[in-house]
Amino acid sequence: MSETSRERFQSTLCRARKIAVLTGAGVSAESGIPTFRGAGGLWRRYEATSLASPEAWQRDPGLVWEFYNHRRERALGCAPNPGHHALAQLEAWWREAGRVFTLITQNIDGLHEQAGSRSPVRLHGSLWQVRCLSCESVTENRDVPITPAFAGSGSPDPEAPARRFTAAELPRCRCGGVLRPHVVWFGEALQESDLAAAAAGVEGCDLLLVVGTSAVVYPAAGFVPMAKRHGALIAEVNVEPSAISGLCDVVFTGGSGAILPSLLDVTPARAP
Ligand code: APR
């Protein structure tokens, strides 16, 4: 009798010495954080992706901060879901067994860390870090609102009155410089160290699990063909086909919060 996708995935998983996981916005959807290209990807009349750019910042840094302040406010009210917890548990089992586990995320919401994932590779930065445009220092910042001027701002309602924030109302570094969100915007390069850590995690992995990404943004999506080239089993969890589904050996269709807990309930020692 032919092996089911689940059997194939779990038998490869329990034998795997090195696994990598790539996540996108879909893994946080069941926590209440909308994805970028799905329903809810709009903030007022803006595509979420259009505000995540140096051009948008040049045009109106106050508007960009209003958008990120809104995303921080929302993320603060969200908790990791069973999908995040299942990945953190799998990592713990793999580390305990002295095997290699690398979580690579495109998400900036911090929910993987909240679920107990240890040092995920954050390709696109973090909502909870800011960077000074003068001294370039990067600091943790959990102030919501980011400055008092942003209190009550950020409504996603397209009819919400547009406000112009003055330079004095923008968040400032101790050096006096303006702080921007420490996230990677479109057209900006990723941190070399994060790219190297992700590549090292994918290189030679036995299994790559791809969860909740449309896989249209590079270099993140490029890790899938990279793993495929060296013969890793490629598995995907998504509610619908993505740009890399064709590269996958096994595909599990549905919400990651519903699928991952039982799919990943495999310890290195115990064969399924
Ligand atoms: N479980 C699993 N997958 C889901 C779920 C869910 N509950 N809900 C939605 N998805 C899937 C969607 O089908 C889609 O394929 O998650 C994916 C989300 O895709 P995008 O919105 O494009 O988000 P992502 O792939 O993370 O975007 C990549 O683009 O906007 C930039 O920097 C931003 O990191 C982001 C990058």
Side-chain angles (χ1 to χ4, degrees), residues 10 16 39 80 89 105 149 157 170 187 222 272:
Q10 292 187 329
Q89 177 61 72
T105 189
D157 175 359
L170 298 178

Side-chain angles (χ1 to χ4, degrees), residues 24-26 30 35-37 49 106 124 212-214 217 238 240 256:
E30 291 152 78
T35 62
F36 293 91
R37 293 170 187 82
T49 47
Q106 299 168 85
H124 298 160
T213 181
S214 55
V217 172
N238 198 313
E240 63 186 22
S256 51

